[in-house]
Amino acid sequence: LPAGFWIEPGGSYKESQDAGGQMQNSFLASLLLIVLCLVFQYNGWSKPLIVLATLPLALGGALLGLFITDNSLGFMPQLGILALFGIVVNTAIIYIEFADIVMKRRMENQGGSPLDKQQLRESLGEAGRLRLVPIFLTTATTVGGLLSLALAGGPLWIGMSWLMVFGLLVATLLTLLVIPAAYAVVLESRLLRMMEGRFLSSPAATE
């Protein structure tokens, strides 16, 4: 360019850049709030980390949906990711809470004694079977509403709708596999530490 001239972005391009920066800040703030709420709710890190494991699953399904439907990751799809994270986190929380209820009920039925490894796995499987239909119905109703928006909502909503549809389907299917497996690992490691502690504190171990 000649001396004294320069290129400066403006108009819709400048507004899009500003909105993208604000969206990144909103995304980080939302993620931080989700983590803090989970930590305060469960008073620890093991369950929050299990719940947060659903977020990469949802994000992978969402990006796959954009790729299949040939849509870009614009402003509205980014809003859809934030909404998607809230939905899939709620699904994981419901499953863990119900699994805890099933395990507590089993412990009460056997006089308060702790569950063994096999009983823990059976409790997690029972919780998955009992919550399978409600979780799938919730996902199906949400996907049904989004499909109408994706097919006839206009160009503004198509990317966000397909992103949430694919993200919900993939995250729901994988959540029912990944979350029980991860929770089983955490519970079995706690059971192992408890058994080791009892063994070390027993009279035979101290002789």
Side-chain angles (χ1 to χ4, degrees), residues 20 30 66 191 198:
S30 300
L66 290 179
L191 179 63
R198 288 183 176 180

Side-chain angles (χ1 to χ4, degrees), residues 78-93:
Q78 291 178 37
L79 285 179
I81 290 178
L82 295 178
L84 180 64
F85 281 178
I87 297 173
V88 298
V89 163
N90 183 59
T91 301
I93 291 174

Side-chain angles (χ1 to χ4, degrees), residues 39-50:
V39 171
F40 287 136
Q41 178 180 353
Y42 293 118
N43 195 25
W45 283 98
S46 58
K47 289 182 181 179
L49 289 177
I50 294 173

